[in-house]
Amino acid sequence: MKIEKTLSNILDINIIQISNNVFCSKFLFDLNIETKLIPNTYYDYPFLIIDNFLTKEECSLINKDLKDSSDYEKAKLKTLENYPDSQLDEEIRKTNIYKIKKSYLNIYNQRFKENQAKIENYFNLCLTMASKLQALEYLQGSFYSIHSDDSSMIFNEDELIGFKAVAKNRKLSTVLFTTTYDKKIKNDESFNGGELLFNFLYDKKGENISIKPKAGQMLIFPSNPIFCHEVKKVNDGRRISLVQWHDAILN
């Protein structure tokens, strides 16, 4: 969908406002999407960013541990055609998945408990179960094409015509970054490229919402198709994130 980068066009009938500063492609609301969780529309943003979820020192320790580890596998995909099985397709996703040491997992779980009330209040829900925490590594040339965390995309030839929920237990997605976006790579704890881009969300200038994180930040957003996203190709450096999906009781 072509968007002119002007506020007047943002207010066009093809776009609807879902928070003070964010607009969404209207065609998504015309589809029969099973899951449409959106936070309070009076918030500035429909997602939450928590700074300093981990300290820089803790991030550095995790990054070093993963760099020294050989215990990883290439990320596989679950699609509507092969669900619940997974398959490798590096034309869609090129990512390495590592296991997290128990000591770091304990730190993560403690910090999550400290922030859980804030997250639940923001999204007006009660968190229940969560998936196993994954550590994702994106090296130079790595990426993840557009996708929804709880649904498969349905196409008619090249046209997106709908979504099929395949992971209804995913209500919220959390992404904790342990390396920092930087235009100039300073060390192996920074990267450029690799932005997390929300494909159907726009700011007041008509530009896609794009997250350029710093180490220690956690990004939380609903897992449904409104928040379809991609990880842009990493140009240089090392992009590390700890990812988890959460079930919840909606209020």
Side-chain angles (χ1 to χ4, degrees):
M1 181 178 295
K2 186 177 181 180
I3 305 288
E4 295 296 328
K5 296 179 180 179
T6 62
L7 179 58
S8 60
N9 195 68
I10 279 292
L11 300 177
D12 189 83
I13 59 173
N14 292 323
I15 302 294
I16 64 172
Q17 189 167 8
I18 63 170
S19 73
N20 287 337
N21 297 320
V22 177
F23 301 78
C24 179
S25 298
K26 183 179 181 296
F27 87 95
L28 288 176
F29 291 84
D30 297 330
L31 300 176
N32 184 25
I33 297 176
E34 297 181 54
T35 52
K36 289 185 178 179
L37 171 65
I38 299 177
N40 190 321
T41 54
Y42 291 100
Y43 289 166
D44 286 342
Y45 296 95
F47 49 80
L48 176 64
I49 294 178
I50 299 176
D51 290 323
N52 302 314
F53 186 93
L54 291 183
T55 66
K56 289 184 178 180
E57 291 75 17
E58 289 164 340
C59 289
S60 294
L61 289 172
I62 292 172
N63 296 335
K64 183 180 185 304
D65 184 68
L66 296 182
K67 186 175 182 180
D68 294 339
S69 173
S70 59
D71 188 10
Y72 72 91
E73 61 182 7
K74 292 182 180 295
K76 297 180 180 180
L77 294 168
K78 290 182 180 179
T79 64
L80 189 60
E81 291 75 17
N82 67 10
Y83 192 85
D85 297 324
S86 302
Q87 65 184 21
L88 182 67
D89 188 343
E90 291 194 330
E91 291 186 1
I92 298 176
R93 184 183 189 187
K94 187 176 182 181
T95 319
N96 296 326
I97 301 180
Y98 286 80
K99 293 182 180 179
I100 299 289
K101 278 187 176 179
K102 186 175 180 180
S103 57
Y104 300 131
L105 183 60
N106 290 339
I107 294 173
Y108 175 93
N109 288 336
Q110 179 59 38
R111 298 296 165 74
F112 196 93
K113 287 181 181 178
E114 293 170 3
N115 287 279
Q116 184 168 336
K118 178 189 296 186
I119 296 169
E120 290 178 334
N121 289 337
Y122 195 88
F123 293 97
N124 194 29
L125 46 69
C126 180
L127 294 171
T128 55
M129 305 295 289
S131 67
K132 188 176 181 180
L133 186 67
Q134 295 182 353
L136 304 183
E137 177 188 55
Y138 292 79
L139 300 175
Q140 186 178 42
S142 297
F143 65 95
Y144 193 174
S145 299
I146 178 175
H147 62 282
S148 167
D149 282 346
D150 77 346
S151 301
S152 286
M153 305 174 74
I154 302 173
F155 291 90
N156 180 10
E157 295 183 350
D158 291 331
E159 181 183 0
L160 176 62
I161 59 172
F163 296 86
K164 174 64 176 177
V166 295
K168 295 182 181 180
N169 58 327
R170 294 182 177 184
K171 302 297 192 304
L172 281 186
S173 302
T174 56
V175 184
L176 172 61
F177 300 94
T178 62
T179 55
T180 296
Y181 175 91
D182 201 324
K183 290 183 178 180
K184 294 183 178 180
I185 301 300
K186 298 175 181 177
N187 49 48
D188 61 2
E189 296 191 11
S190 59
F191 65 93
N192 62 45
E195 302 92 335
L196 192 154
L197 183 142
F198 289 106
N199 300 88
F200 302 124
L201 300 185
Y202 305 91
D203 62 19
K204 293 180 179 180
K205 296 180 180 179
E207 297 175 345
N208 280 107
I209 301 295
S210 180
I211 307 298
K212 300 176 180 179
K214 60 183 180 180
Q217 280 186 334
M218 173 175 275
L219 170 67
I220 308 106
F221 57 92
S223 305
N224 64 66
I226 292 169
F227 295 84
C228 279
H229 56 284
E230 66 179 293
V231 177
K232 305 297 288 184
K233 184 178 291 186
V234 173
N235 297 323
D236 197 5
R238 189 163 169 258
R239 182 190 191 272
I240 304 293
S241 58
L242 308 185
V243 177
Q244 198 171 33
W245 298 276
H246 305 263
D247 201 354
I249 299 171
L250 307 182
N251 294 333

